[in-house]
Amino acid sequence: MVLAAQVEGADVITVEGLASAERLHPLQQQFIEKWAFQCGYCTSGMLISAYALLMNNPSPTSDEIRNSIAGNLCRCTGYSEIVEAIEAAANELNFLTLETGL
């Protein structure tokens, strides 16, 4: 976590910025499909933490995922659905990368 003033001049991605006009980001879609949310309290933080992880590590292990989201507290779902959603999104993103050659 950082103060807003510390990111002056930097690009900041919010949870709203993950989706395109046409579709949700794979992380957002997988959170829906895996029921990785309930009250929504932690969802934004989980999504952005997961996004940061996948940008640096496109194929994380379950332990690496759990470590990356450790700073976010979930009050409802437990963490298994969240980890499953992040794993599924990583697999989807890796498939799309292979398919498009990007």
Side-chain angles (χ1 to χ4, degrees):
M1 296 206 285
V2 298
L3 296 172
Q6 292 175 288
V7 296
E8 183 176 346
D11 291 330
V12 176
I13 298 173
T14 64
V15 69
E16 294 84 4
L18 293 177
S20 69
E22 295 82 33
R23 66 184 197 112
L24 294 174
H25 187 278
L27 277 167
Q28 294 167 311
Q29 188 62 45
Q30 289 300 328
F31 265 60
I32 293 168
E33 291 180 21
K34 303 292 186 208
W35 291 94
F37 63 93
Q38 284 184 20
C39 78
Y41 177 80
C42 70
T43 306
S44 295
M46 292 290 186
L47 286 167
I48 294 300
S49 293
Y51 181 79
L53 169 67
L54 296 180
M55 291 298 96
N56 293 307
N57 181 356
S59 299
T61 65
S62 294
D63 286 340
E64 290 169 329
I65 292 171
R66 289 179 188 283
N67 187 51
S68 75
I69 63 173
N72 298 290
L73 300 177
C74 176
R75 304 177 335 172
C76 300
T77 67
Y79 294 87
S80 60
E81 293 88 353
I82 293 168
V83 172
E84 288 174 18
I86 296 168
E87 288 172 332
N91 290 335
E92 182 178 344
L93 289 166
N94 287 329
F95 174 78
L96 291 173
T97 300
L98 288 173
E99 187 175 77
T100 61
L102 298 176

